[in-house]
Amino acid sequence: MYTPVTFASVTFAIVGSGTAAKIHATALMHTDYAELVAVFDSDTARAQAFADNFQKENPATKPLRVVSSWQALLEDERIEVLCLCTPSGLHATQAAEALLHGKHVLVEKPLALNPADCDHVIAAAEKSGKICSVVSQLRFSPAIEAVKQAVHMGCFGRLVCGEVSMPYHRDRSYYENSPWRGTWAMDGGGALMNQGIHGVDILLHWMGRAESVGAFCRTLAHPIETEDTAVAVVSFAGGAVGTILAATSPLPGYRRRLALYGTEGSVLLEEDCIVCWDLDAPAPDLPSGNQGGHRNPAAISAAGHQRHMEDMVLAVRTGTPVMLDAKEGKRAVELIYSVYQSAQTGQIIKI
C-alpha cells in the first residue's frame, strides 16, 4: 500500500508530445497542487517544440525541462508522477518500468494492449507500492456518476440492457500523420481499442462484470490493419445484455450515445450530457458536459483530465485510492480483447 510522503505540490512530467500530451498539460495547468516541470519524447526536437509552445502559452510559468533520455527521466528524483501519453503499444512497458523506479504513473488509455500485459503493470504497481491510474475521463463526469448512483439505489429496477454507440469520424490524415495508429503492434486495435474504450469502460462501470461476447469487426473506410468499424453483443452477470458500436468510418461523425435500460426506468446520454432521464428519482441538475471528440480528437475537453489530475494529486498527498487503478483499467482491455477474439474466430468468447 502506498504511504503518502508529501503535502507539497506534486511534480509531474509528460511523456510524449502529441495531442494527448497537450490535453494533459492543459489539465495540469488548472489543477491545484500540481506542477508540470518536464517533458520527454524519444524525438528531442518534438519535446523541445512542445516545451517552447507551452512556455509561449503560459509565460508566467517556469519553462519546462526537456529530459534527454528515458533513463534520465526515471532517475530524476525531482519528478513524482509521469503522465504516459505515448503510443498505446508502449504503455505497459513504460508504466511497469516507471513504477519499479519509484514513480507514480497516470497512463492514457488503454493501460495495455492485452490482459497479460495489464497484469504485468498491476504486478509492478503492487511490488513498488506506487500509484498507477488509467485515464478514462468520463468516469469523472457528474452525469455518468449520477447514473451510477441511480443504479446503486435500485432506481432502474432490474437492468436489462445497455448501449454504447460511437459512430465517430477520423479522416485519413489522422492515421497517416501517426502511423502507429490502426496497427495491431502499437494501437492494439482500431476504433474500438482507441476511441471506443471510453464507452466500454462506462458500460462496465454501470452494468458490472461481462461474462461473454460475440462480435464482428470490419475495415471499411481506412487503409489500416485493424478495424474501423466494430459491433459487439455482451452478456453480463445477472442476465443483462449490452451492445457496442465503435467506428471511425462514417461521415460526418456523431456524438457518442450511452443508454441504460431497466424494468423500472431508463436513461440516455449524449457524450456526458443527460438527454433522457425516465426514472422515479429526480433528474440531476447538471451543467452541460463537453467531452466531444466525435469529429476531431483535438476538440476533446481537458475538464475530465483535470479531474484525473486532481484525483492523482489527492492520492499522492493523502493516500486516498484513485478512481481508476490498474486493476480497474484492465477490465475494458479484457472485454475489447475478447471482442477481437470473437471477431477473428467467429465464436462467442467467455471472459
Side-chain angles (χ1 to χ4, degrees):
M1 178 180 292
Y2 169 66
T3 302
V5 297
T6 180
F7 287 91
S9 291
V10 178
T11 54
F12 286 75
I14 291 176
V15 184
S17 56
T19 300
K22 294 179 177 68
I23 295 172
H24 279 240
T26 300
L28 284 166
M29 285 301 299
H30 293 89
T31 302
D32 291 340
Y33 302 107
E35 183 182 4
L36 177 58
V37 298
V39 61
F40 167 73
D41 192 292
S42 58
D43 184 334
T44 304
R46 280 173 54 92
Q48 186 62 60
F50 182 92
D52 292 344
N53 189 63
F54 179 83
Q55 184 64 28
K56 181 179 179 181
E57 294 179 353
N58 304 279
T61 63
K62 295 179 182 178
L64 293 186
R65 288 187 289 110
V66 175
V67 182
S68 60
S69 70
W70 172 247
Q71 192 63 34
L73 185 69
L74 296 179
E75 294 174 356
D76 192 330
E77 296 182 356
R78 296 168 291 180
I79 297 169
E80 297 172 90
V81 183
L82 298 187
C83 295
L84 297 184
C85 303
T86 49
S88 303
L90 302 177
H91 289 179
T93 299
Q94 289 182 332
E97 287 183 2
L99 289 162
L100 294 174
H101 275 80
K103 305 298 186 189
H104 304 295
V105 177
L106 179 61
V107 189
E108 259 298 339
K109 54 75 187 169
L111 174 61
L113 303 187
N114 57 67
D117 284 349
C118 289
D119 288 337
H120 181 56
V121 179
I122 291 166
E126 291 175 345
K127 182 177 180 180
S128 67
K130 296 299 180 180
I131 300 165
C132 181
S133 182
V134 184
V135 171
S136 186
Q137 64 267 29
L138 283 175
R139 286 283 195 106
F140 292 89
S141 161
I144 297 296
E145 185 55 29
V147 176
K148 177 65 174 178
Q149 289 299 316
V151 172
H152 182 71
M153 294 167 60
C155 299
F156 288 86
R158 182 180 182 181
L159 293 179
V160 294
C161 187
E163 290 182 294
V164 176
S165 178
M166 193 215 72
Y168 278 18
H169 175 69
R170 294 292 183 263
D171 62 21
R172 187 162 184 163
S173 67
Y174 172 80
Y175 295 101
E176 290 178 343
N177 293 342
S178 297
W180 64 270
R181 292 173 175 153
T183 67
W184 290 110
M186 294 304 291
D187 213 359
L192 185 57
M193 183 66 89
N194 194 308
Q195 286 81 21
I197 191 168
H198 292 293
V200 170
D201 176 65
I202 298 307
L203 198 65
L204 291 166
H205 183 52
W206 287 346
M207 301 191 71
R209 183 171 61 85
E211 290 189 331
S212 61
V213 64
F216 294 95
C217 294
R218 300 286 187 267
T219 308
L220 301 176
H222 296 295
I224 57 175
E225 292 178 5
T226 60
E227 89 292 347
D228 59 21
T229 309
V231 176
V233 178
V234 186
S235 176
F236 289 90
V241 295
T243 62
I244 300 168
L245 163 66
T248 57
S249 50
L251 272 171
Y254 293 136
R255 296 181 184 276
R256 173 176 40 223
R257 293 169 71 89
L258 300 161
L260 191 60
Y261 305 104
T263 57
E264 297 182 17
S266 304
V267 297
L268 174 66
L269 281 72
E270 199 170 79
E271 295 296 348
D272 62 340
C273 298
I274 296 170
V275 295
C276 295
W277 180 276
D278 294 304
L279 301 174
D280 283 341
D285 183 16
L286 300 173
S288 297
N290 183 21
Q291 296 288 348
H294 53 295
R295 297 176 185 172
N296 178 9
I300 295 172
S301 166
H305 285 76
Q306 181 182 336
R307 297 185 188 109
H308 261 297
M309 302 305 174
E310 293 167 349
D311 185 54
M312 178 62 88
V313 167
L314 183 65
V316 173
R317 297 179 84 218
T318 71
T320 304
V322 290
M323 169 78 78
L324 201 82
D325 64 11
K327 288 182 179 179
E328 188 71 4
K330 175 186 174 182
R331 296 175 66 213
V333 173
E334 190 170 45
L335 176 51
I336 291 171
Y337 190 75
S338 297
V339 166
Y340 291 147
Q341 287 183 307
S342 176
Q344 290 165 4
T345 64
Q347 304 294 316
I348 302 295
I349 302 297
K350 292 186 176 182
I351 301 170

